[in-house]
Amino acid sequence: MLTLRRSSRAALSLAVLLAPLSAFAIDTVHRKSQDKSTGGSITTINANEVVVTQKVGNREEKVPANDIRGVEWDGEPADMKKARSFEGGSEYLRGKELFEELLKTDLKPNIKTDVEFYIARLLHRSAQGDPAQAKEAIDKLTAFTTLRKTSYRYYEALGLLGELALASKDYAAADKAFDALSKATWPETKLAAQIGSARVLLAKEDFAGAKKIFDTVAGTDAKTPAETSQKLEGTLGQAECLMNDKKYAEAIKSLEAVIDQAAPTDTRLQAQAYLRQGDCLRLMGEKPKEAALAYLHVDVLPNFAAHKDLHAEALYNLFGLWGSLGQADRAERAESRLRDEYPNSEWTKKLGGS
């Protein structure tokens, strides 16, 4: 009898281990800091974390919201994966349209919230290259941060809203978003909020106020890659303040430090540093070829050119430099690409003409 009972228990354990995954509710949390994912049933969600409960052993794992790359939900529509892939391929409006179709279906609440976020973020990405999308993006992000304060995407949405409000010169809205972002618990997010506030001051030409904040962030004792990224954002801001004082040589040294120390994946930060490096060399008036080379980084390297607003700025400056260097054909190509690829960009409008 004892042997039979032991055999039965063993058979039952084996059956559980071999049961198809579909027999359990499996949500998969993809993390930024780890190659592996965390699977189980998400039982708690708030702005700071999600809690994943694993059936085997009834073990709970808390995943900080700032470490979540994305969630694949149990029972999510098959088209969710396809819609997400459009963002990775920079097909932002196609992704937005597919998510909007999904939003019309009967979605579980958590999936619906994620879909709303994806729509807002895709609009944000699109607005970087096409400012005509900015209003809708800001409306979506404002609605999300107002109605979805308990979402694990809440703080990320606040950062996107602040960035886009700043780009749209709505400084009051940007300040409000960055102030709310500063309430996050993670050091790198607090630093990002400080950087955002400093950039608002910079846009308002309060250079002394901006420099004070940039100096503080650049002097941070960074302990993680994410904190290091924000620290370098502070160094970038310091360089921009030096440029305002026409201290171009000093600014270039700071920008070289940013380029050298930035992580390979921190492509936006590197692209910004190359743009400012090009600005310094151009404004010094002595090194137009070196300036063109700096701007070319943002044009020819796909990971840099993927940041559409920065790519448009690079093309505009290359148009002017090629002309001054007597390379009319390259100037014409830069102008043509700027007009064709970014018809609504502020940099295209600076070209004038038809």
Side-chain angles (χ1 to χ4, degrees), residues 121-168:
R121 189 169 71 180
L122 285 162
L123 280 166
H124 171 276
R125 300 276 191 266
S126 180
Q128 288 183 318
D130 182 4
Q133 305 289 331
K135 184 182 184 305
E136 185 180 2
I138 288 173
D139 288 346
K140 295 289 187 185
L141 287 165
T142 300
F144 188 89
T145 54
T146 300
L147 301 173
R148 305 300 186 196
K149 293 181 184 292
T150 58
S151 168
Y152 71 94
R153 297 287 198 178
Y154 172 67
Y155 285 113
E156 182 179 355
L158 279 173
L160 298 177
L161 176 58
E163 289 175 11
L164 203 50
L166 174 57
S168 300

mmCIF file of all heavy atoms in Angstrom, residues 121-168:
data_model
loop_
_atom_site.group_PDB
_atom_site.id
_atom_site.type_symbol
_atom_site.label_atom_id
_atom_site.label_comp_id
_atom_site.label_asym_id
_atom_site.label_seq_id
_atom_site.Cartn_x
_atom_site.Cartn_y
_atom_site.Cartn_z
ATOM 1 N N ARG A 121 2.757 55.596 -26.789
ATOM 2 C CA ARG A 121 4.204 55.610 -27.024
ATOM 3 C C ARG A 121 4.533 55.613 -28.509
ATOM 4 O O ARG A 121 5.487 56.281 -28.944
ATOM 5 C CB ARG A 121 4.868 54.404 -26.348
ATOM 6 C CG ARG A 121 6.399 54.493 -26.388
ATOM 7 C CD ARG A 121 7.062 53.473 -25.504
ATOM 8 N NE ARG A 121 6.932 52.112 -26.022
ATOM 9 C CZ ARG A 121 7.430 51.041 -25.411
ATOM 10 N NH1 ARG A 121 8.057 51.169 -24.251
ATOM 11 N NH2 ARG A 121 7.278 49.837 -25.929
ATOM 12 N N LEU A 122 3.759 54.888 -29.305
ATOM 13 C CA LEU A 122 3.984 54.895 -30.749
ATOM 14 C C LEU A 122 3.742 56.286 -31.336
ATOM 15 O O LEU A 122 4.459 56.722 -32.241
ATOM 16 C CB LEU A 122 3.089 53.853 -31.417
ATOM 17 C CG LEU A 122 3.543 52.405 -31.236
ATOM 18 C CD1 LEU A 122 2.414 51.438 -31.525
ATOM 19 C CD2 LEU A 122 4.745 52.105 -32.128
ATOM 20 N N LEU A 123 2.730 56.974 -30.831
ATOM 21 C CA LEU A 123 2.491 58.348 -31.278
ATOM 22 C C LEU A 123 3.645 59.261 -30.877
ATOM 23 O O LEU A 123 4.045 60.151 -31.636
ATOM 24 C CB LEU A 123 1.172 58.868 -30.695
ATOM 25 C CG LEU A 123 -0.086 58.420 -31.423
ATOM 26 C CD1 LEU A 123 -1.325 58.689 -30.571
ATOM 27 C CD2 LEU A 123 -0.213 59.149 -32.770
ATOM 28 N N HIS A 124 4.176 59.049 -29.685
ATOM 29 C CA HIS A 124 5.341 59.815 -29.237
ATOM 30 C C HIS A 124 6.517 59.595 -30.179
ATOM 31 O O HIS A 124 7.182 60.543 -30.614
ATOM 32 C CB HIS A 124 5.714 59.408 -27.812
ATOM 33 C CG HIS A 124 7.018 59.965 -27.322
ATOM 34 N ND1 HIS A 124 8.236 59.374 -27.597
ATOM 35 C CD2 HIS A 124 7.300 61.068 -26.580
ATOM 36 C CE1 HIS A 124 9.208 60.084 -27.054
ATOM 37 N NE2 HIS A 124 8.666 61.108 -26.422
ATOM 38 N N ARG A 125 6.782 58.323 -30.507
ATOM 39 C CA ARG A 125 7.887 58.010 -31.422
ATOM 40 C C ARG A 125 7.655 58.666 -32.788
ATOM 41 O O ARG A 125 8.572 59.231 -33.391
ATOM 42 C CB ARG A 125 7.991 56.494 -31.600
ATOM 43 C CG ARG A 125 8.257 55.713 -30.320
ATOM 44 C CD ARG A 125 9.720 55.672 -29.979
ATOM 45 N NE ARG A 125 9.965 54.715 -28.922
ATOM 46 C CZ ARG A 125 10.027 54.995 -27.608
ATOM 47 N NH1 ARG A 125 9.853 56.246 -27.203
ATOM 48 N NH2 ARG A 125 10.278 54.056 -26.720
ATOM 49 N N SER A 126 6.432 58.584 -33.266
ATOM 50 C CA SER A 126 6.108 59.166 -34.567
ATOM 51 C C SER A 126 6.267 60.684 -34.547
ATOM 52 O O SER A 126 6.757 61.284 -35.500
ATOM 53 C CB SER A 126 4.682 58.787 -34.964
ATOM 54 O OG SER A 126 4.341 59.320 -36.210
ATOM 55 N N ALA A 127 5.862 61.302 -33.436
ATOM 56 C CA ALA A 127 5.920 62.766 -33.323
ATOM 57 C C ALA A 127 7.348 63.292 -33.326
ATOM 58 O O ALA A 127 7.582 64.456 -33.661
ATOM 59 C CB ALA A 127 5.190 63.216 -32.064
ATOM 60 N N GLN A 128 8.306 62.447 -32.965
ATOM 61 C CA GLN A 128 9.698 62.900 -32.992
ATOM 62 C C GLN A 128 10.127 63.269 -34.407
ATOM 63 O O GLN A 128 10.908 64.194 -34.600
ATOM 64 C CB GLN A 128 10.617 61.813 -32.427
ATOM 65 C CG GLN A 128 10.489 61.654 -30.910
ATOM 66 C CD GLN A 128 11.456 60.634 -30.362
ATOM 67 O OE1 GLN A 128 11.664 59.564 -30.949
ATOM 68 N NE2 GLN A 128 12.061 60.942 -29.232
ATOM 69 N N GLY A 129 9.618 62.536 -35.388
ATOM 70 C CA GLY A 129 9.953 62.849 -36.774
ATOM 71 C C GLY A 129 8.901 63.670 -37.476
ATOM 72 O O GLY A 129 9.167 64.294 -38.501
ATOM 73 N N ASP A 130 7.695 63.681 -36.930
ATOM 74 C CA ASP A 130 6.575 64.392 -37.546
ATOM 75 C C ASP A 130 5.796 65.143 -36.462
ATOM 76 O O ASP A 130 4.887 64.586 -35.843
ATOM 77 C CB ASP A 130 5.654 63.404 -38.260
ATOM 78 C CG ASP A 130 4.493 64.093 -38.959
ATOM 79 O OD1 ASP A 130 4.442 65.348 -38.959
ATOM 80 O OD2 ASP A 130 3.614 63.387 -39.494
ATOM 81 N N PRO A 131 6.146 66.405 -36.220
ATOM 82 C CA PRO A 131 5.486 67.177 -35.160
ATOM 83 C C PRO A 131 3.973 67.289 -35.314
ATOM 84 O O PRO A 131 3.279 67.624 -34.350
ATOM 85 C CB PRO A 131 6.149 68.560 -35.278
ATOM 86 C CG PRO A 131 7.486 68.284 -35.884
ATOM 87 C CD PRO A 131 7.245 67.158 -36.847
ATOM 88 N N ALA A 132 3.456 66.988 -36.519
ATOM 89 C CA ALA A 132 2.004 67.028 -36.715
ATOM 90 C C ALA A 132 1.302 65.988 -35.836
ATOM 91 O O ALA A 132 0.100 66.099 -35.574
ATOM 92 C CB ALA A 132 1.664 66.786 -38.184
ATOM 93 N N GLN A 133 2.050 64.968 -35.377
ATOM 94 C CA GLN A 133 1.483 63.926 -34.518
ATOM 95 C C GLN A 133 1.534 64.297 -33.033
ATOM 96 O O GLN A 133 0.999 63.579 -32.190
ATOM 97 C CB GLN A 133 2.248 62.610 -34.713
ATOM 98 C CG GLN A 133 2.339 62.119 -36.142
ATOM 99 C CD GLN A 133 1.006 61.624 -36.668
ATOM 100 O OE1 GLN A 133 0.172 61.152 -35.910
ATOM 101 N NE2 GLN A 133 0.806 61.752 -37.973
ATOM 102 N N ALA A 134 2.186 65.416 -32.724
ATOM 103 C CA ALA A 134 2.473 65.738 -31.321
ATOM 104 C C ALA A 134 1.217 65.950 -30.484
ATOM 105 O O ALA A 134 1.126 65.468 -29.351
ATOM 106 C CB ALA A 134 3.372 66.965 -31.238
ATOM 107 N N LYS A 135 0.247 66.661 -31.009
ATOM 108 C CA LYS A 135 -0.946 66.957 -30.210
ATOM 109 C C LYS A 135 -1.680 65.681 -29.792
ATOM 110 O O LYS A 135 -2.057 65.522 -28.626
ATOM 111 C CB LYS A 135 -1.915 67.873 -30.968
ATOM 112 C CG LYS A 135 -3.126 68.284 -30.121
ATOM 113 C CD LYS A 135 -4.100 69.154 -30.884
ATOM 114 C CE LYS A 135 -5.237 69.610 -29.976
ATOM 115 N NZ LYS A 135 -5.952 68.488 -29.314
ATOM 116 N N GLU A 136 -1.869 64.779 -30.756
ATOM 117 C CA GLU A 136 -2.557 63.538 -30.424
ATOM 118 C C GLU A 136 -1.752 62.730 -29.412
ATOM 119 O O GLU A 136 -2.311 62.142 -28.480
ATOM 120 C CB GLU A 136 -2.802 62.703 -31.678
ATOM 121 C CG GLU A 136 -3.629 61.445 -31.400
ATOM 122 C CD GLU A 136 -3.875 60.603 -32.637
ATOM 123 O OE1 GLU A 136 -3.377 60.955 -33.731
ATOM 124 O OE2 GLU A 136 -4.571 59.569 -32.507
ATOM 125 N N ALA A 137 -0.428 62.724 -29.590
ATOM 126 C CA ALA A 137 0.425 61.989 -28.659
ATOM 127 C C ALA A 137 0.326 62.566 -27.253
ATOM 128 O O ALA A 137 0.202 61.828 -26.271
ATOM 129 C CB ALA A 137 1.872 62.028 -29.146
ATOM 130 N N ILE A 138 0.358 63.882 -27.148
ATOM 131 C CA ILE A 138 0.263 64.530 -25.841
ATOM 132 C C ILE A 138 -1.094 64.251 -25.203
ATOM 133 O O ILE A 138 -1.197 63.979 -24.000
ATOM 134 C CB ILE A 138 0.515 66.048 -25.970
ATOM 135 C CG1 ILE A 138 2.001 66.308 -26.257
ATOM 136 C CG2 ILE A 138 0.083 66.791 -24.712
ATOM 137 C CD1 ILE A 138 2.331 67.748 -26.564
ATOM 138 N N ASP A 139 -2.144 64.286 -26.005
ATOM 139 C CA ASP A 139 -3.490 63.991 -25.483
ATOM 140 C C ASP A 139 -3.557 62.568 -24.934
ATOM 141 O O ASP A 139 -4.118 62.330 -23.847
ATOM 142 C CB ASP A 139 -4.536 64.178 -26.580
ATOM 143 C CG ASP A 139 -4.774 65.647 -26.922
ATOM 144 O OD1 ASP A 139 -4.345 66.516 -26.145
ATOM 145 O OD2 ASP A 139 -5.385 65.911 -27.975
ATOM 146 N N LYS A 140 -2.981 61.619 -25.678
ATOM 147 C CA LYS A 140 -3.021 60.218 -25.239
ATOM 148 C C LYS A 140 -2.192 60.017 -23.970
ATOM 149 O O LYS A 140 -2.610 59.313 -23.043
ATOM 150 C CB LYS A 140 -2.498 59.301 -26.346
ATOM 151 C CG LYS A 140 -3.340 59.267 -27.611
ATOM 152 C CD LYS A 140 -4.663 58.551 -27.395
ATOM 153 C CE LYS A 140 -5.412 58.384 -28.719
ATOM 154 N NZ LYS A 140 -6.752 57.786 -28.527
ATOM 155 N N LEU A 141 -1.026 60.619 -23.931
ATOM 156 C CA LEU A 141 -0.162 60.476 -22.762
ATOM 157 C C LEU A 141 -0.756 61.167 -21.541
ATOM 158 O O LEU A 141 -0.655 60.666 -20.414
ATOM 159 C CB LEU A 141 1.235 61.040 -23.064
ATOM 160 C CG LEU A 141 2.085 60.184 -24.007
ATOM 161 C CD1 LEU A 141 3.268 60.976 -24.543
ATOM 162 C CD2 LEU A 141 2.577 58.922 -23.293
ATOM 163 N N THR A 142 -1.395 62.317 -21.763
ATOM 164 C CA THR A 142 -2.050 63.012 -20.654
ATOM 165 C C THR A 142 -3.186 62.177 -20.091
ATOM 166 O O THR A 142 -3.338 62.049 -18.864
ATOM 167 C CB THR A 142 -2.588 64.379 -21.126
ATOM 168 O OG1 THR A 142 -1.496 65.176 -21.600
ATOM 169 C CG2 THR A 142 -3.284 65.115 -19.985
ATOM 170 N N ALA A 143 -3.973 61.586 -20.983
ATOM 171 C CA ALA A 143 -5.075 60.724 -20.538
ATOM 172 C C ALA A 143 -4.541 59.520 -19.777
ATOM 173 O O ALA A 143 -5.077 59.143 -18.724
ATOM 174 C CB ALA A 143 -5.894 60.273 -21.739
ATOM 175 N N PHE A 144 -3.468 58.921 -20.279
ATOM 176 C CA PHE A 144 -2.919 57.725 -19.635
ATOM 177 C C PHE A 144 -2.399 58.055 -18.237
ATOM 178 O O PHE A 144 -2.677 57.345 -17.268
ATOM 179 C CB PHE A 144 -1.795 57.128 -20.482
ATOM 180 C CG PHE A 144 -1.319 55.790 -19.990
ATOM 181 C CD1 PHE A 144 -1.912 54.625 -20.435
ATOM 182 C CD2 PHE A 144 -0.288 55.703 -19.060
ATOM 183 C CE1 PHE A 144 -1.489 53.383 -19.968
ATOM 184 C CE2 PHE A 144 0.136 54.474 -18.584
ATOM 185 C CZ PHE A 144 -0.463 53.312 -19.044
ATOM 186 N N THR A 145 -1.628 59.157 -18.116
ATOM 187 C CA THR A 145 -1.051 59.490 -16.816
ATOM 188 C C THR A 145 -2.105 60.005 -15.837
ATOM 189 O O THR A 145 -1.870 60.021 -14.629
ATOM 190 C CB THR A 145 0.060 60.540 -16.970
ATOM 191 O OG1 THR A 145 -0.452 61.683 -17.681
ATOM 192 C CG2 THR A 145 1.244 59.963 -17.738
ATOM 193 N N THR A 146 -3.265 60.374 -16.348
ATOM 194 C CA THR A 146 -4.360 60.820 -15.483
ATOM 195 C C THR A 146 -5.192 59.631 -15.012
ATOM 196 O O THR A 146 -5.568 59.547 -13.834
ATOM 197 C CB THR A 146 -5.267 61.817 -16.220
ATOM 198 O OG1 THR A 146 -4.490 62.947 -16.617
ATOM 199 C CG2 THR A 146 -6.404 62.285 -15.329
ATOM 200 N N LEU A 147 -5.473 58.705 -15.925
ATOM 201 C CA LEU A 147 -6.395 57.603 -15.637
ATOM 202 C C LEU A 147 -5.715 56.303 -15.224
ATOM 203 O O LEU A 147 -6.364 55.422 -14.663
ATOM 204 C CB LEU A 147 -7.261 57.331 -16.873
ATOM 205 C CG LEU A 147 -8.114 58.510 -17.377
ATOM 206 C CD1 LEU A 147 -8.785 58.141 -18.690
ATOM 207 C CD2 LEU A 147 -9.141 58.903 -16.331
ATOM 208 N N ARG A 148 -4.410 56.164 -15.493
ATOM 209 C CA ARG A 148 -3.728 54.888 -15.261
ATOM 210 C C ARG A 148 -2.559 55.055 -14.286
ATOM 211 O O ARG A 148 -1.458 54.570 -14.519
ATOM 212 C CB ARG A 148 -3.225 54.307 -16.587
ATOM 213 C CG ARG A 148 -4.276 54.148 -17.666
ATOM 214 C CD ARG A 148 -5.400 53.222 -17.233
ATOM 215 N NE ARG A 148 -6.342 52.960 -18.325
ATOM 216 C CZ ARG A 148 -7.545 52.454 -18.160
ATOM 217 N NH1 ARG A 148 -7.974 52.158 -16.931
ATOM 218 N NH2 ARG A 148 -8.344 52.241 -19.191
ATOM 219 N N LYS A 149 -2.801 55.720 -13.194
ATOM 220 C CA LYS A 149 -1.735 55.988 -12.223
ATOM 221 C C LYS A 149 -1.222 54.721 -11.535
ATOM 222 O O LYS A 149 -0.134 54.733 -10.949
ATOM 223 C CB LYS A 149 -2.217 56.987 -11.165
ATOM 224 C CG LYS A 149 -2.479 58.386 -11.695
ATOM 225 C CD LYS A 149 -2.933 59.318 -10.583
ATOM 226 C CE LYS A 149 -3.300 60.701 -11.123
ATOM 227 N NZ LYS A 149 -2.127 61.424 -11.624
ATOM 228 N N THR A 150 -1.990 53.642 -11.581
ATOM 229 C CA THR A 150 -1.545 52.393 -10.959
ATOM 230 C C THR A 150 -0.904 51.441 -11.960
ATOM 231 O O THR A 150 -0.561 50.312 -11.602
ATOM 232 C CB THR A 150 -2.724 51.674 -10.267
ATOM 233 O OG1 THR A 150 -3.746 51.412 -11.235
ATOM 234 C CG2 THR A 150 -3.298 52.522 -9.140
ATOM 235 N N SER A 151 -0.724 51.874 -13.185
ATOM 236 C CA SER A 151 -0.077 51.034 -14.187
ATOM 237 C C SER A 151 1.434 51.017 -13.964
ATOM 238 O O SER A 151 2.038 52.023 -13.573
ATOM 239 C CB SER A 151 -0.374 51.556 -15.593
ATOM 240 O OG SER A 151 0.463 50.931 -16.556
ATOM 241 N N TYR A 152 2.052 49.890 -14.253
ATOM 242 C CA TYR A 152 3.514 49.822 -14.161
ATOM 243 C C TYR A 152 4.165 50.695 -15.237
ATOM 244 O O TYR A 152 5.378 50.952 -15.200
ATOM 245 C CB TYR A 152 3.995 48.366 -14.273
ATOM 246 C CG TYR A 152 3.859 47.754 -15.642
ATOM 247 C CD1 TYR A 152 4.912 47.766 -16.549
ATOM 248 C CD2 TYR A 152 2.662 47.150 -16.047
ATOM 249 C CE1 TYR A 152 4.796 47.202 -17.807
ATOM 250 C CE2 TYR A 152 2.529 46.582 -17.297
ATOM 251 C CZ TYR A 152 3.594 46.612 -18.180
ATOM 252 O OH TYR A 152 3.470 46.060 -19.440
ATOM 253 N N ARG A 153 3.385 51.169 -16.195
ATOM 254 C CA ARG A 153 3.883 52.061 -17.250
ATOM 255 C C ARG A 153 3.728 53.553 -16.889
ATOM 256 O O ARG A 153 4.088 54.423 -17.683
ATOM 257 C CB ARG A 153 3.096 51.809 -18.542
ATOM 258 C CG ARG A 153 3.247 50.417 -19.127
ATOM 259 C CD ARG A 153 4.594 50.205 -19.751
ATOM 260 N NE ARG A 153 4.609 49.066 -20.659
ATOM 261 C CZ ARG A 153 5.677 48.692 -21.357
ATOM 262 N NH1 ARG A 153 6.809 49.350 -21.217
ATOM 263 N NH2 ARG A 153 5.621 47.647 -22.165
ATOM 264 N N TYR A 154 3.201 53.839 -15.711
ATOM 265 C CA TYR A 154 2.860 55.214 -15.344
ATOM 266 C C TYR A 154 4.062 56.152 -15.424
ATOM 267 O O TYR A 154 4.002 57.209 -16.072
ATOM 268 C CB TYR A 154 2.268 55.246 -13.933
ATOM 269 C CG TYR A 154 2.063 56.635 -13.368
ATOM 270 C CD1 TYR A 154 1.125 57.501 -13.918
ATOM 271 C CD2 TYR A 154 2.809 57.068 -12.276
ATOM 272 C CE1 TYR A 154 0.927 58.778 -13.397
ATOM 273 C CE2 TYR A 154 2.618 58.340 -11.748
ATOM 274 C CZ TYR A 154 1.682 59.187 -12.306
ATOM 275 O OH TYR A 154 1.504 60.449 -11.792
ATOM 276 N N TYR A 155 5.166 55.783 -14.800
ATOM 277 C CA TYR A 155 6.315 56.686 -14.771
ATOM 278 C C TYR A 155 6.972 56.807 -16.146
ATOM 279 O O TYR A 155 7.459 57.885 -16.525
ATOM 280 C CB TYR A 155 7.329 56.242 -13.720
ATOM 281 C CG TYR A 155 6.875 56.549 -12.309
ATOM 282 C CD1 TYR A 155 6.570 55.531 -11.410
ATOM 283 C CD2 TYR A 155 6.728 57.865 -11.881
ATOM 284 C CE1 TYR A 155 6.137 55.815 -10.115
ATOM 285 C CE2 TYR A 155 6.295 58.162 -10.588
ATOM 286 C CZ TYR A 155 6.009 57.136 -9.718
ATOM 287 O OH TYR A 155 5.575 57.421 -8.445
ATOM 288 N N GLU A 156 7.000 55.732 -16.893
ATOM 289 C CA GLU A 156 7.530 55.820 -18.253
ATOM 290 C C GLU A 156 6.688 56.786 -19.082
ATOM 291 O O GLU A 156 7.224 57.612 -19.836
ATOM 292 C CB GLU A 156 7.547 54.446 -18.918
ATOM 293 C CG GLU A 156 8.143 54.465 -20.318
ATOM 294 C CD GLU A 156 8.203 53.107 -20.986
ATOM 295 O OE1 GLU A 156 7.874 52.098 -20.330
ATOM 296 O OE2 GLU A 156 8.576 53.055 -22.171
ATOM 297 N N ALA A 157 5.369 56.715 -18.935
ATOM 298 C CA ALA A 157 4.478 57.619 -19.665
ATOM 299 C C ALA A 157 4.707 59.070 -19.263
ATOM 300 O O ALA A 157 4.666 59.976 -20.105
ATOM 301 C CB ALA A 157 3.021 57.223 -19.440
ATOM 302 N N LEU A 158 4.964 59.315 -17.988
ATOM 303 C CA LEU A 158 5.253 60.676 -17.526
ATOM 304 C C LEU A 158 6.508 61.228 -18.204
ATOM 305 O O LEU A 158 6.544 62.393 -18.622
ATOM 306 C CB LEU A 158 5.446 60.702 -16.009
ATOM 307 C CG LEU A 158 4.205 60.718 -15.135
ATOM 308 C CD1 LEU A 158 4.599 60.574 -13.664
ATOM 309 C CD2 LEU A 158 3.393 61.996 -15.344
ATOM 310 N N GLY A 159 7.537 60.392 -18.314
ATOM 311 C CA GLY A 159 8.757 60.836 -18.976
ATOM 312 C C GLY A 159 8.527 61.187 -20.433
ATOM 313 O O GLY A 159 9.016 62.206 -20.929
ATOM 314 N N LEU A 160 7.756 60.354 -21.133
ATOM 315 C CA LEU A 160 7.434 60.617 -22.540
ATOM 316 C C LEU A 160 6.621 61.897 -22.685
ATOM 317 O O LEU A 160 6.845 62.700 -23.604
ATOM 318 C CB LEU A 160 6.669 59.431 -23.132
ATOM 319 C CG LEU A 160 7.393 58.084 -23.176
ATOM 320 C CD1 LEU A 160 6.470 57.005 -23.719
ATOM 321 C CD2 LEU A 160 8.665 58.176 -24.003
ATOM 322 N N LEU A 161 5.667 62.098 -21.776
ATOM 323 C CA LEU A 161 4.839 63.299 -21.816
ATOM 324 C C LEU A 161 5.694 64.538 -21.602
ATOM 325 O O LEU A 161 5.547 65.544 -22.321
ATOM 326 C CB LEU A 161 3.750 63.211 -20.742
ATOM 327 C CG LEU A 161 2.853 64.440 -20.580
ATOM 328 C CD1 LEU A 161 2.142 64.779 -21.885
ATOM 329 C CD2 LEU A 161 1.832 64.198 -19.458
ATOM 330 N N GLY A 162 6.594 64.493 -20.634
ATOM 331 C CA GLY A 162 7.459 65.637 -20.382
ATOM 332 C C GLY A 162 8.322 65.973 -21.581
ATOM 333 O O GLY A 162 8.461 67.138 -21.964
ATOM 334 N N GLU A 163 8.908 64.933 -22.212
ATOM 335 C CA GLU A 163 9.753 65.142 -23.388
ATOM 336 C C GLU A 163 8.984 65.829 -24.516
ATOM 337 O O GLU A 163 9.467 66.784 -25.135
ATOM 338 C CB GLU A 163 10.290 63.813 -23.897
ATOM 339 C CG GLU A 163 11.330 63.158 -23.028
ATOM 340 C CD GLU A 163 11.703 61.783 -23.548
ATOM 341 O OE1 GLU A 163 11.302 61.447 -24.692
ATOM 342 O OE2 GLU A 163 12.383 61.039 -22.819
ATOM 343 N N LEU A 164 7.783 65.313 -24.782
ATOM 344 C CA LEU A 164 7.018 65.822 -25.918
ATOM 345 C C LEU A 164 6.440 67.209 -25.637
ATOM 346 O O LEU A 164 6.388 68.063 -26.534
ATOM 347 C CB LEU A 164 5.897 64.836 -26.262
ATOM 348 C CG LEU A 164 5.358 64.892 -27.694
ATOM 349 C CD1 LEU A 164 6.482 64.862 -28.715
ATOM 350 C CD2 LEU A 164 4.403 63.740 -27.943
ATOM 351 N N ALA A 165 6.031 67.455 -24.412
ATOM 352 C CA ALA A 165 5.549 68.793 -24.042
ATOM 353 C C ALA A 165 6.677 69.805 -24.181
ATOM 354 O O ALA A 165 6.474 70.927 -24.666
ATOM 355 C CB ALA A 165 5.004 68.784 -22.615
ATOM 356 N N LEU A 166 7.887 69.416 -23.780
ATOM 357 C CA LEU A 166 9.046 70.292 -23.920
ATOM 358 C C LEU A 166 9.329 70.583 -25.395
ATOM 359 O O LEU A 166 9.546 71.735 -25.783
ATOM 360 C CB LEU A 166 10.260 69.643 -23.263
ATOM 361 C CG LEU A 166 11.609 70.353 -23.437
ATOM 362 C CD1 LEU A 166 11.554 71.779 -22.920
ATOM 363 C CD2 LEU A 166 12.715 69.564 -22.718
ATOM 364 N N ALA A 167 9.315 69.530 -26.217
ATOM 365 C CA ALA A 167 9.556 69.712 -27.656
ATOM 366 C C ALA A 167 8.496 70.597 -28.297
ATOM 367 O O ALA A 167 8.776 71.316 -29.265
ATOM 368 C CB ALA A 167 9.597 68.353 -28.354
ATOM 369 N N SER A 168 7.282 70.566 -27.728
ATOM 370 C CA SER A 168 6.178 71.378 -28.253
ATOM 371 C C SER A 168 6.127 72.770 -27.611
ATOM 372 O O SER A 168 5.189 73.529 -27.858
ATOM 373 C CB SER A 168 4.850 70.650 -28.015
ATOM 374 O OG SER A 168 4.840 69.397 -28.660
#
